[in-house]
């Protein structure tokens, strides 16, 4: 019979009042998170970023393959290269590649092809998804539910960034192939998200948006 390495696990448990209080507090805390596009250049200790990435990497994944690589870019030269290539693509997006409806949907965000945050933020976390693993002997081992897994890990990442009192932007320059080249990533990895991280700029402004109510997002059966 196969022996499995199952170990004891005791989840934290709380009485119902504490659960309610903790849940409300966590909701209120998470509901304060906003995407920002203006960053302070104030430095952030690298150790904080590393712990944030460990949190992201603690997220569940298909067959526990952890099919992600988080590239942390702080080198100003590499940030500049990324900005130049992202702006080239975004220029095309805003000048013909994005259909009218998309541009209309983005209008209230005030975005355009200029991406100064790619140099201003102290860190760019470039998340890659690993379609398969390459074993030391060169053979391929497939990964499962890669997009779902990396999406969940990015959710953990954004929550950890917010928990640290830092700000982030989930940026998706499109297409993102230039990130593979600039960061010299192997053939089994694909760029997934580009996340500038740092302190929000002083007096930063964000769009005045409303979130959907529980009734709009939740159906009870
Ligand atoms: N990638 C472009 C356009 C853009 C698309 C969506 I969907 C957004 O929520 C925001 C922007 C850009 O970064 O400007």
């Amino acid at each position: 019979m196969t022996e499995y390495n199952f170990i004891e696990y005791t989840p934290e448990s709380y009485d119902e009042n504490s659960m309610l209080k903790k849940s409300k507090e966590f909701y209120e805390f998470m509901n304060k998170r906003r995407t920002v596009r203006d960053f302070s250049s104030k430095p952030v200790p690298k150790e904080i970023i590393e712990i944030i990435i460990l949190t992201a990497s603690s997220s569940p994944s298909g067959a526990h393959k952890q099919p992600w690589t988080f590239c942390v870019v702080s080198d100003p030269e590499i940030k500049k290269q990324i900005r130049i290539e992202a702006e080239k693509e975004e220029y095309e997006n805003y000048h013909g590649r994005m259909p009218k409806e998309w541009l209309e949907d983005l209008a209230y965000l005030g975005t355009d092809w200029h991406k100064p945050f790619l140099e201003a933020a102290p860190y760019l976390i470039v998340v890659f998804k690993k379609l398969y693993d390459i074993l030391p002997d060169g053979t391929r081992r497939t990964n499962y539910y890669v997009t779902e897994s990396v999406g969940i890990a990015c959710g953990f990442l954004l929550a950890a960034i917010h928990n640290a009192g830092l700000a982030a932007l989930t940026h998706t320059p499109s297409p993102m192939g230039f990130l593979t080249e600039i960061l010299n990533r192997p053939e089994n990895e694909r760029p997934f998200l580009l996340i500038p991280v740092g302190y929000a700029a002083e007096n930063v402004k964000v769009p005045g948006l409303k979130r959907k109510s529980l009734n709009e997002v939740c159906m009870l059966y």
Side-chain angles (χ1 to χ4, degrees), residues 5 9 20 28 44 49 102 114 136 146 157 189:
N5 178 28
Y9 171 57
L20 188 61
E28 278 156 18
V44 174
I49 301 298
W102 195 349
H114 297 95
V146 168
L157 183 77
E189 294 189 8

Side-chain angles (χ1 to χ4, degrees), residues 37 90 93-94 98 102 106 109 111-113 115 117 171-174:
R37 291 187 163 74
E90 293 296 351
N93 289 337
Y94 282 90
M98 285 193 287
W102 195 349
L106 291 182
L109 294 176
T111 56
D112 62 22
W113 65 274
K115 303 298 172 194
F117 50 75
H171 181 41
T172 51
S174 172

Side-chain angles (χ1 to χ4, degrees), residues 30-131:
M30 289 302 290
N31 198 33
K32 279 192 218 147
R33 187 207 54 80
R34 291 300 310 265
T35 289
V36 307
R37 291 187 163 74
D38 293 305
F39 291 86
S40 154
S41 59
K42 185 176 164 184
V44 174
K46 191 157 271 165
E47 191 186 0
I48 294 172
I49 301 298
E50 288 171 350
I51 296 169
I52 284 168
I53 288 172
L54 281 174
T55 303
S57 195
S58 76
S59 84
S61 60
H64 186 54
K65 294 277 193 161
Q66 297 182 264
W68 43 66
T69 304
F70 298 92
C71 295
V72 178
V73 181
S74 55
D75 180 327
E77 270 311 307
I78 303 178
K79 287 198 282 182
K80 187 175 179 174
Q81 257 183 292
I82 290 176
R83 176 179 178 180
I84 290 169
E85 295 306 317
E87 286 187 336
K88 269 190 216 159
E89 296 295 358
E90 293 296 351
Y91 184 89
E92 296 304 325
N93 289 337
Y94 282 90
H95 293 88
R97 274 205 305 226
M98 285 193 287
K100 188 167 148 280
E101 185 181 350
W102 195 349
L103 292 171
E104 282 167 10
D105 281 340
L106 291 182
Y108 81 104
L109 294 176
T111 56
D112 62 22
W113 65 274
H114 297 95
K115 303 298 172 194
F117 50 75
L118 293 174
E119 285 189 275
Y123 295 101
L124 305 179
I125 301 180
V126 189
V127 185
F128 286 83
K129 62 179 183 183
K130 295 171 94 169
L131 303 180

Side-chain angles (χ1 to χ4, degrees), residues 49 52 125 154 156-168 195-198:
I49 301 298
I52 284 168
I125 301 180
C154 286
F156 275 38
L157 183 77
L158 295 174
I161 291 166
H162 179 55
N163 179 60
L166 296 169
I195 307 181
V197 181

